Amino acid sequence: WREEGIADESIRSRSRFTKPLLSQPVQTTSQQDQRQSPRFNAWFTMLLFAGVAFGSALEANDRYHENTKTIRNQKACIFLSFLNLLFVLLVVLTHLSPIGALMFVHRRVECATIIVITAFWVTNVAIVSDAKNGLAVNDRGAVLFGNLYYSNWLGFATCWFLLYSFVATAYGRNLQQEAKARSARLNHWFVVLITSMVVMASAANTYDNSCGEDNATTSGAGGSRYCNRSVLGLLLGAGGAIFSVVLACTKLMLGSTPTFLEGIVAGVLFFAWAFALALVTSEDGPGAPIGNLYYSSWACFLACFFCALAC
């Protein structure tokens, strides 16, 4: 009896010491990562892109000087690339500090930082994609310096991912699901709008650079066939953007639009691009070189195709 009582008292004594330890919640690795930041990997990835963009901008500088405006744009590219690298580096260092992460992650300052950096990337993409500046593309719009070209576009795409992630985690809103719940095919028309705007801007830049009065040849860059196909891409980009804006705004205000009407518009845009894509990206077309117009033309064609399928 004494031995059993001593054994019971020993068990109760051990349970008093071990119970607080067992009752404490165990934090998993995923919970600790979520507490730090769900966007740390994206910020670190952008840091790599910013470093490549800054180094490439320094390398491409002073390679091509035509006028004062070109020199000014090249220096602006270097300055914006440096600002991108500096801001993103500070953000990454802030994430590594527990106090800094507490004051930055999910706060308005993080949202403001994403918006400012997005503006820097947008400006840099426009500068390096302009053939007149002689940085990432040549006089026909073909990619001349891949590191500078792709690092800026990938950095720009990462900004949109960061903004989407911030809205989803800080405010608990899933924009994609909300758009689907609000109206069917709204996401598809937003994609058509974005790709159409890129096509329109790229075609306009190509026409402005190659189809002036000083380029009066009959073939090749600056020729009538080349310029007519540039105008075709410009018109299709503008048409796709206009139709997309009208349908998207109608869906946002009224909640829905007739499915047959969307199917007609998407079908017309798809068949128009099926015809125009062969002309714009042909050997004599302005989209033949691998560049903004080539990528955006194919992206717009595919966006119209999937939009038509969704109808």
Side-chain angles (χ1 to χ4, degrees):
W1 179 81
R2 288 183 179 180
E3 292 178 355
E4 292 178 356
I6 295 173
D8 293 340
E9 183 67 24
S10 176
I11 293 174
R12 285 195 297 269
S13 176
R14 285 198 302 267
S15 64
R16 285 197 298 268
F17 287 103
T18 58
K19 185 176 181 180
L21 296 177
L22 296 176
S23 62
Q24 292 179 356
V26 179
Q27 291 185 346
T28 61
T29 304
S30 60
Q31 290 175 338
Q32 295 175 355
D33 294 340
Q34 182 71 17
R35 184 185 60 186
Q36 292 176 358
S37 175
R39 289 172 294 280
F40 177 75
N41 292 338
W43 280 113
F44 189 79
T45 302
M46 182 183 285
L47 178 63
L48 300 179
F49 293 147
V52 174
F54 178 64
S56 302
L58 290 175
E59 185 178 354
N61 188 37
D62 298 329
R63 185 180 60 200
Y64 175 75
H65 286 166
E66 183 180 356
N67 49 44
T68 306
K69 184 178 179 180
T70 301
I71 299 174
R72 185 170 62 250
N73 289 338
Q74 290 182 350
K75 294 187 180 300
C77 177
I78 296 176
F79 179 68
L80 290 174
S81 300
F82 173 74
L83 288 181
N84 277 332
L85 180 61
L86 179 62
F87 272 72
V88 179
L89 179 60
L90 291 176
V91 170
V92 172
L93 294 178
T94 301
H95 279 76
L96 297 178
S97 171
I99 299 178
L102 182 64
M103 299 176 61
F104 182 82
V105 177
H106 303 315
R107 306 292 182 178
R108 292 182 179 180
V109 64
E110 183 180 13
C111 182
T113 303
I114 295 174
I115 294 174
V116 171
I117 292 177
T118 301
F120 291 160
W121 282 110
V122 169
T123 308
N124 240 8
V125 166
I127 292 175
V128 302
S129 300
D130 192 345
K132 291 182 178 180
N133 297 325
L135 289 170
V137 296
N138 60 13
D139 55 352
R140 293 197 61 186
V143 176
L144 182 65
F145 194 178
N147 284 348
L148 183 60
Y149 179 85
Y150 292 109
S151 61
N152 277 279
W153 273 106
L154 291 173
F156 172 66
T158 308
C159 287
W160 287 105
F161 173 79
L162 286 171
L163 187 60
Y164 178 85
S165 175
F166 178 85
V167 174
T169 57
Y171 297 101
R173 301 180 61 180
N174 191 324
L175 298 180
Q176 185 177 1
Q177 294 297 330
E178 288 185 11
K180 289 182 179 180
R182 189 175 184 87
S183 180
R185 296 174 299 278
L186 184 59
N187 294 338
H188 293 81
W189 287 113
F190 275 131
V191 175
V192 174
L193 172 61
I194 294 173
T195 55
S196 297
M197 291 178 65
V198 177
V199 169
M200 182 174 58
S202 303
N205 182 258
T206 301
Y207 184 87
D208 184 51
N209 292 334
S210 302
C211 299
E213 296 180 356
D214 297 334
N215 300 311
T217 59
T218 58
S219 62
S224 59
R225 182 183 302 175
Y226 182 91
C227 295
N228 290 337
R229 296 180 181 183
S230 298
V231 174
L232 176 62
L234 175 61
L235 293 177
L236 274 181
I242 292 173
F243 283 119
S244 301
V245 168
V246 172
L247 289 172
C249 291
T250 304
K251 285 176 172 291
L252 291 175
M253 291 186 295
L254 302 180
S256 62
T257 54
T259 304
F260 75 92
L261 178 61
E262 292 186 57
I264 292 175
V265 175
V268 169
L269 290 176
F270 168 70
F271 286 110
W273 267 113
F275 171 75
L277 189 66
L279 298 177
V280 174
T281 60
S282 64
E283 185 179 2
D284 295 330
I290 303 299
N292 283 354
L293 188 56
Y294 176 85
Y295 288 125
S296 59
S297 296
W298 273 102
C300 193
F301 168 74
L302 294 175
C304 293
F305 173 71
F306 287 111
C307 189
L309 284 182
C311 294

